[in-house]
């Protein structure tokens, strides 16, 4: 397995196991490499849009569907709470974990809370709608806004 | 028409994007695959075209 793939999997698996973004030193320990090599891999993975980094170049803002920072979109499974980048990604966390879970968010217009139980086949019947604000061709113009 | 997505459609998108995300073979869908995934659940038109720059 090539090094960047090892780093990518280590990052995603850390999120899955803890619900938190990893520190670069945790990834370095996990893949048995120095911090410099890990941060170089972070940059290449960000170039491939597999990670979004903070301005410091070492903190992970997004490893979609996981968010490295608290958001209003939360998924919960096996007692672990995960922050997601949007409602799509909150369902994506449950899909990635392949475990039943709960998704919580709220309506941007009314503030009404969203609480969805999600099983292996997805959420049960629901009247909720996801409003996509940005056209697909422009999602990566500013992925944090999207 | 507002780009609204039902929870069933959103679950399809979530699984197509992320179901293998923790596995070695995972990769992001290519633009042609994205278009196919969207079309498969009825999300069509320029808004959903990852290569379009014309959104009416």
């Amino acid at each position: 397995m090539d090094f960047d793939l090892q780093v990518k999997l280590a990052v995603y698996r850390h999120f899955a196991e803890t619900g938190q973004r990893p520190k670069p030193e945790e990834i370095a320990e996990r893949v048995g490499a120095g911090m410099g090599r890990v941060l170089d891999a972070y940059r290449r993975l960000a170039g491939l849009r597999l990670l979004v980094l903070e301005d410091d170049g070492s903190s992970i803002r997004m490893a979609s569907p996981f968010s490295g920072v608290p958001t209003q979109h939360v998924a919960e499974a096996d007692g672990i709470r995960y922050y997601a980048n949007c409602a799509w990604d909150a369902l994506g966390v449950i899909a990635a974990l392949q475990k039943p879970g709960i998704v919580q968010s709220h309506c941007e217009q009314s503030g009404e809370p969203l609480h969805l139980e999600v099983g292996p086949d997805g959420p049960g019947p629901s009247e909720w709608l996801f409003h996509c604000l940005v056209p697909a061709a422009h999602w990566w113009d500013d992925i944090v806004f999207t | 028409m507002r780009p609204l997505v039902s929870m069933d459609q959103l679950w399809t998108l979530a699984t197509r994007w992320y179901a293998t995300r923790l596995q070695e073979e995972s990769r992001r869908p290519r633009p042609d695959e994205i278009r196919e995934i969207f079309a498969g659940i009825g999300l069509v038109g320029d808004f959903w075209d990852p290569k379009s720059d014309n959104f009416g």
Side-chain angles (χ1 to χ4, degrees):
Chain A
M1 188 190 316
D2 82 25
F3 183 69
D4 288 3
L5 180 55
Q6 286 182 52
V7 170
K8 183 189 90 166
L9 287 174
V11 167
Y12 278 98
R13 288 174 181 168
H14 182 98
F15 269 106
E17 290 162 11
T18 69
Q20 303 290 319
R21 65 182 173 188
K23 295 177 179 149
E25 49 267 42
E26 291 173 308
I27 297 303
E29 185 179 341
R30 197 159 178 150
V31 301
M35 282 269 290
R37 282 190 75 200
V38 168
L39 294 178
D40 285 345
Y42 274 18
R43 280 189 283 278
R44 290 189 293 272
L45 292 168
L48 295 171
R49 298 178 172 176
L50 291 166
L51 297 179
V52 176
L53 302 176
E54 306 273 22
D55 289 343
D56 65 9
S58 63
S59 303
I60 296 171
R61 173 69 177 77
M62 300 166 69
S64 295
F66 303 104
S67 170
V69 297
T71 67
Q72 70 189 45
H73 310 288
V74 174
E76 202 171 317
D78 270 356
I80 301 176
R81 188 175 167 86
Y82 302 90
Y83 292 108
N85 304 297
C86 61
W88 175 347
D89 282 3
L91 286 176
V93 169
I94 302 297
L97 296 172
Q98 300 189 3
K99 294 174 181 172
I102 293 168
V103 162
Q104 294 175 321
S105 184
H106 68 255
C107 174
E108 288 288 352
Q109 288 182 322
S110 69
E112 183 184 348
L114 166 71
H115 178 100
L116 279 180
E117 293 191 16
V118 186
D121 298 322
S126 170
E127 299 294 312
W128 281 83
L129 295 170
F130 172 76
H131 185 197
C132 191
L133 290 174
V134 179
H138 289 289
W139 286 348
W140 282 89
D141 293 356
D142 181 347
I143 191 62
V144 173
F145 173 79
T146 299
Chain B
M1 190 170 70
R2 296 171 73 195
L4 298 173
V5 181
S6 72
M7 288 299 109
D8 282 347
Q9 289 170 313
L10 200 61
W11 176 247
T12 298
L13 297 179
T15 54
R16 293 297 300 270
W17 251 258
Y18 297 124
T20 63
R21 191 49 61 104
L22 300 174
Q23 299 164 20
E24 266 187 61
E25 68 273 20
S26 173
R27 63 172 177 78
R28 298 176 60 245
R30 294 187 305 265
D32 59 316
E33 294 170 325
I34 291 174
R35 202 177 294 117
E36 186 183 313
I37 293 167
F38 286 157
I41 55 173
L43 302 177
V44 294
D46 289 341
F47 185 93
W48 297 106
D49 184 341
K51 288 187 170 175
S52 174
D53 221 358
N54 173 20
F55 309 109

